[in-house]
Amino acid sequence: MDVNSSKHFFDLKAYAKAQAKVHSKQGMPVIKKVTKGEKSESATLTNLNWEQELEPIAESDLNRPSWKLHYDVDTTQTEDAYTITYTSNKEDLVVKRIVISLRKADYYCTSLSIEKSSTNFLYTSWQKIYYTDNGQLNIYGNLNMHNWINNNYATELTVVNTSEIQ
């Protein structure tokens, strides 16, 4: 992913699409665990729709013309990596914060986290997304319709490295 492209912010749509393509091509089995409230289900899948699973990342893309001035950017570096943090400076934006880790050598995104929240007269919601390029995806969230409905949910994906299975 080239951070020097014509996009103002890191292009999460392109990143999610590229990652979906990589994981689909690899075809590794994935353990998918879905939790809603107190109920959890888990399954090992071999034909996961990665584009669909990574859609919450693509939907969090900040490259909207009207958002250009509404995110503060902070970059830190270590010997091997850069960390870019985008923080909303406007309260009503759903995407509150994104933290992206890039390898210094090639600007390749190795991990990211996204924090979202929204409040209006109907509901309050929050969502946290964690992703690493090895296919680990965790999405945690809550939807509260002003004490009428209160749903906690989670989706956790873990790629199973078949070379480790003996």
Side-chain angles (χ1 to χ4, degrees):
M1 181 83 252
D2 182 9
V3 293
N4 297 320
S5 70
S6 62
K7 303 281 185 176
H8 187 72
F9 301 109
F10 186 86
D11 190 344
L12 289 175
K13 283 184 184 178
Y15 179 72
K17 187 174 184 177
Q19 288 293 292
K21 187 175 181 179
V22 166
H23 293 303
S24 295
K25 189 174 184 179
Q26 288 174 341
M28 303 282 277
V30 176
I31 298 171
K32 181 175 183 176
K33 180 180 176 184
V34 178
T35 304
K36 184 176 179 184
E38 301 296 319
K39 296 180 182 178
S40 287
E41 291 184 22
S42 178
T44 302
L45 307 170
T46 54
N47 289 335
L48 191 69
N49 182 340
W50 278 100
E51 197 164 320
Q52 179 180 331
E53 298 295 341
L54 296 178
E55 184 64 22
I57 294 172
E59 290 173 347
S60 302
D61 189 66
L62 302 179
N63 287 298
R64 295 175 176 100
S66 62
W67 287 8
K68 189 174 183 179
L69 301 176
H70 298 299
Y71 285 90
D72 297 323
V73 181
D74 182 42
T75 304
T76 58
Q77 62 180 316
T78 63
E79 185 176 322
D80 299 328
Y82 293 108
T83 301
I84 302 171
T85 303
Y86 301 112
T87 306
S88 171
N89 58 28
K90 191 172 181 191
E91 194 172 310
D92 64 338
L93 294 176
V94 174
V95 179
K96 303 299 184 195
R97 181 180 165 139
I98 299 175
V99 179
I100 299 170
S101 296
L102 304 171
R103 271 193 314 237
K104 223 177 204 182
D106 57 4
Y107 299 107
Y108 178 78
C109 178
T110 57
S111 67
L112 59 86
S113 67
I114 301 168
E115 296 175 20
K116 299 170 149 183
S117 67
S118 180
T119 300
N120 64 33
F121 71 96
L122 292 175
Y123 68 89
T124 301
S125 70
W126 62 264
Q127 186 177 64
K128 294 186 180 190
I129 303 167
Y130 304 97
Y131 177 75
T132 60
D133 66 331
N134 65 358
Q136 181 76 33
L137 173 67
N138 298 314
I139 301 173
Y140 305 103
N142 175 274
L143 174 63
N144 183 324
M145 296 185 76
H146 299 296
N147 298 320
W148 181 51
I149 295 174
N150 188 18
N151 285 327
N152 289 313
Y153 61 89
T155 301
E156 299 172 352
L157 301 179
T158 306
V159 172
V160 179
N161 187 342
T162 54
S163 66
E164 295 175 359
I165 299 173
Q166 300 286 335

